[in-house]
């Protein structure tokens, strides 16, 4: 074990937020050992801005609670931790862990329960990468380095502690972490890891809870190096596991969305990780929509059903939380609204809570060469920056060109659309099965069309209405719920 002088490596207590210093000090004062560990120390060493600082101590979670009282909550079952609230900050305080007992690992060697307290030496050996296993005591200006991690920092190498195959078997999520850190830090992966990081090894991810995989996928999407990590995810076969795709490919839309996400993070803009999920699943959603359309469902129902199917299928790999699922469905539904808005709705659409995300999505599609957006991404882009007068003119002009387009490709179904009412973007899957307004309207619409058709038996055979394909809807397949 080497004890390094922290200041020699550019670390100082002044760089730390007061909250982590307060936690370390309070634990030390109560007679415990306490260190900053993990990504915080690593990032400071590399001159990066740490996302957060984690603390580790020889106090058990119950003892940490004694020190901090009501400011502390014990969380987790598989991995028990103390959460300490200091002002607005939340500091995670873990207890030194010893190797897990045999009884709590799965048949594949995966650790199921991990609450066996131990010494700092045991704790260090349980960490994933050497560069994540440095312990920093800011008051003593000391870094404890048990594995010559400092060499790996200098050589920019990711090295797993212990036998790589065993470490991946213990916790397959470490495969995702390997690629995340390689991309984030621009480090190379040690040859002994590359040797065992095979497609067979990635199969182990099937045993990991889809909730945990969602969390990890979020970290991959939001670290600011999506563009760098995407090819790695594909090359190492991780993508296949996360998205159940036989031959994964990064298309122009995904590539552009990844670039855009990274740029947003770089300039400090917020990002919604569900947005990237919406991008990734977009093509699957369109395919599914087409399946339903070819089965005779009307477009709105095809879209609703397709989005439910795609998200349900994805949840077998990564469980997207309900609010994020709703967001994704709304962004997809916005595509239809923004593509062909009714002129009376343009203003309301621009003020809709999901407008921004829907518009960004549309523009990215357009910029990546998707011709089906018909230039509407640019139209909305321009529209938003106009004065109120100019907006009115733009809407009038849009109305004229829309009417012209519709005259040339008019169908009676379109003519009978109800004019101005805004319907909710998505209807929830479960809950009361009340008749939603859109369903009632669709039924009314069909009746009106039927009435017109019944009076047209003496029309010329070339009349568009007689060429119109009658849509057979299977309403038993469509689930309606309360709107939100
Ligand atoms: P960042 O927070 O920048 O994403 P990090 O290294 O801090 O990176 P965390 O997930 O916050 O990552 O974990 C904190 C520390 O806990 C890690 O640095 C590592 O020492 C340890 N750790 C986390 N996950 C694992 C794991 N799956 N196996 C072994 N050790 C882990
Ligand atoms: Mg961290």
């Amino acid at each position: 074990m080497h004890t390094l002088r922290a200041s020699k490596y550019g670390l100082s207590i002044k760089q730390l937020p007061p909250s982590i210093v307060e936690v370390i000090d309070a634990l030390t004062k109560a007679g415990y050992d306490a260190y900053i560990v993990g990504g915080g120390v690593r990032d400071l060493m590399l001159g990066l801005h740490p996302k957060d600082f984690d603390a580790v101590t020889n106090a058990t979670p119950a003892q940490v609670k004694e020190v901090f009282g009501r400011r502390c909550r014990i969380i987790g079952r598989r991995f028990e931790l103390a959460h300490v609230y200091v002002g607005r900050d939340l500091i995670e305080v873990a207890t030194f862990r010893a190797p897990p007992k045999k009884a709590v690992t799965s048949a594949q060697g995966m650790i199921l329960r991990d609450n066996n307290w131990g010494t700092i030496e045991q704790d260090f050996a349980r960490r994933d990468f050497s560069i994540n296993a440095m312990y920093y005591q800011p008051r003593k200006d000391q870094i404890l380095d048990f594995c010559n991690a400092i060499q790996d920092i200098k050589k920019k190498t990711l090295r797993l502690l212990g036998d790589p195959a065993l470490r991946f078997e213990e916790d397959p999520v470490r495969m995702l972490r390997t690629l995340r850190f390689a991309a984030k830090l621009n480090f190379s992966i040690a040859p002994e890891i590359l040797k065992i990081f095979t497609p067979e090894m990635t199969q182990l991810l099937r045993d990991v809870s889809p909730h945990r995989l969602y969390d990890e996928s979020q970290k991959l999407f939001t670290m600011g190096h999506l563009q760098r990590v995407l090819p790695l995810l594909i090359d190492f076969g991780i993508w296949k596991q996360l998205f159940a795709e036989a031959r994964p490919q990064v298309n122009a839309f995904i590539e552009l969305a990844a670039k855009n996400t990274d740029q947003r993070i770089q300039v400090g803009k917020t990002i919604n990780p569900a947005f990237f999920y919406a991008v990734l699943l977009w093509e699957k959603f369109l395919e599914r929509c087409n399946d339903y359309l070819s089965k005779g469902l009307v477009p709105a129902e095809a879209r609703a059903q397709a989005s439910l199917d795609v998200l349900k299928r994805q949840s077998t790999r990564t469980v997207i939380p309900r609010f994020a699922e709703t967001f994704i469905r709304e962004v997809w539904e916005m595509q239809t609204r923004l593509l062909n808005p009714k002129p009376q709705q343009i203003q309301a659409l621009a003020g809709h809570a999901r407008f921004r995300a829907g518009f960004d999505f549309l523009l990215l599609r357009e910029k990546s060469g998707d011709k089906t957006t018909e230039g509407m991404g640019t139209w909305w882009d321009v529209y938003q920056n106009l004065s109120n007068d100019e907006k009115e003119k733009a809407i009038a002009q849009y109305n004229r060109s829309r009417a012209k387009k519709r005259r040339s490709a008019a169908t009676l179904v379109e003519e009978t659309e109800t004019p101005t009412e805004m319907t909710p973007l998505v209807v929830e899957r479960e809950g009361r099965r009340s008749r939603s307004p859109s369903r009632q309207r669709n039924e009314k619409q069909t009746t009106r069309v039927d009435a017109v058709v019944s009076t047209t038996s003496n029309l010329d055979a070339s009349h568009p209405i007689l060429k119109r394909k009658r849509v057979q809807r299977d309403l038993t397949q469509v689930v309606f719920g309360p709107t939100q």
Side-chain angles (χ1 to χ4, degrees), residues 89-204:
D89 291 352
L90 164 69
I91 306 289
E92 238 176 56
V93 183
T95 303
F96 293 147
R97 275 171 168 77
K101 292 181 183 145
K102 210 60 225 137
V104 286
T105 57
S106 74
Q108 286 78 26
M110 207 163 94
I111 298 171
L112 301 177
R113 214 32 90 82
D114 195 0
N115 294 322
N116 197 22
W117 316 133
T119 62
I120 190 168
E121 287 83 4
Q122 288 172 316
D123 186 86
F124 131 76
R126 307 264 353 274
R127 297 198 171 258
D128 47 5
F129 300 96
S130 60
I131 57 165
N132 285 349
M134 291 179 283
Y135 296 73
Y136 175 33
Q137 210 327 328
R139 288 283 173 213
K140 292 189 186 161
D141 189 30
Q142 277 181 350
I143 295 171
L144 307 187
D145 180 2
F146 294 88
C147 55
N148 214 359
I150 198 76
Q151 274 306 316
D152 292 327
I153 291 267
K154 283 181 187 155
K155 286 195 205 144
K156 290 176 148 284
T157 305
L158 268 184
R159 190 163 56 85
L160 272 166
L161 299 173
D163 173 34
L166 209 68
R167 300 311 309 277
F168 279 175
E169 278 159 21
E170 266 177 10
D171 183 3
V173 165
R174 289 178 187 146
M175 288 183 256
L176 269 74
R177 292 175 64 86
T178 305
L179 302 187
R180 176 153 67 88
F181 293 129
K184 174 178 163 164
L185 309 172
N186 211 3
F187 269 36
S188 55
I189 303 172
E192 67 271 16
I193 302 180
L194 293 175
K195 209 160 100 194
I196 55 103
F197 203 155
T198 58
E200 292 75 54
M201 187 62 92
T202 65
Q203 302 266 343
L204 292 178

